[in-house]
Each structure stands twice: as structure tokens, then as C-alpha cells.
Amino acid sequence: QVQLVESGGGLVQAGGSLRLSCAASGRTFSTDAMGWFRQAPGKEREFVAAISWSSSNTGYATSVKGRFTISRDNASNTVYLQMNGLKPEDTAVYYCTASRGPWGIRLVSANEYHSWGQGTQVTVSS
């Protein structure tokens, strides 16, 4: 198991930026693919971005491509989500998550992940 703790959420105006961090502990972080999901009130949890263990592969939801960037630092067991050009529709609780599955399209599904953080709130005002 990997323990995950998110930080960096907050209130920002539309067009602004935030950088989310996810601190991981546990033996398998450096070999796990990592992902970010989000859940808005009354909506299902949705995929945002994922990154392979080596950082050689990244993937994004269409709604955030070109605005968000996922990265990781295996030396410090940290995953980041840089969010630029934020929109009110980006308002949600953002979750960090870990997967032992192979890199591929299945990582857009929450079912592929084994550990989840508690989430951090991101609110974008118009």
C-alpha cells in the first residue's frame, strides 16, 4: 500500500493557477503509475491526468489538456499537478491515486488504482 497526502488546493479566480502536491509513503511509489482524479458536487469522480513510474508517459483528460501538467519526483516521493488557466468548471475535490497496472488507456478508470488520498479542494471563482 501507498499512503498519499494531497496539498495545495484553495480558492483562485478564473484564469489563475494552482499547483497541487501529493506526498507518498510506502515501498512501491517509485514503481507505481500515479494519477489525479477530481469530483465535483453531484458528479462522479473523473480522470484528470496520469503519469508512468518513469515519467516517460503522461495522459490527460481532454478537458484539461494544454492547461494542466502532471509530473513526479521519485527521489522525494512526490507527484504534482500544475494547473494553469483555471476555469469555474475545474472546481472540485482533487484526489491523488496510485496504480500498479501497466501504462495504458485503462488508467482513466478509477478501478485501476489501489490507493487514494483524502483529497484537496480547488475552487475557481468566475
Side-chain angles (χ1 to χ4, degrees):
Q1 283 285 1
V2 176
Q3 291 75 48
L4 305 170
V5 179
E6 302 95 335
S7 61
L11 174 64
V12 64
Q13 289 188 333
S17 298
L18 283 174
R19 189 193 198 198
L20 304 184
S21 298
C22 172
S25 61
R27 295 181 299 162
T28 63
F29 172 81
S30 62
T31 59
D32 283 355
M34 299 296 296
W36 287 95
F37 281 69
R38 66 187 181 186
Q39 188 166 18
K43 295 187 177 181
E44 294 187 354
R45 192 169 296 191
E46 65 174 0
F47 171 78
V48 175
I51 187 168
S52 61
W53 69 270
S54 65
S55 300
S56 59
N57 294 293
T58 58
Y60 299 91
T62 301
S63 59
V64 307
K65 194 173 294 184
R67 299 188 298 122
F68 291 10
T69 302
I70 188 172
S71 61
R72 67 189 293 168
D73 179 357
N74 287 346
S76 65
N77 287 357
T78 307
V79 179
Y80 303 97
L81 186 68
Q82 178 67 44
M83 304 186 295
N84 299 328
L86 283 162
K87 304 175 181 180
E89 51 263 46
D90 295 318
T91 295
V93 177
Y94 283 71
Y95 297 91
C96 176
T97 185
S99 172
R100 295 195 184 98
W103 180 258
I105 190 64
R106 292 177 62 175
L107 288 176
V108 302
S109 170
N111 294 331
E112 293 298 307
Y113 297 83
H114 59 78
S115 298
W116 294 82
Q118 83 289 348
T120 185
Q121 176 70 47
V122 172
T123 302
V124 185
S125 63
S126 56

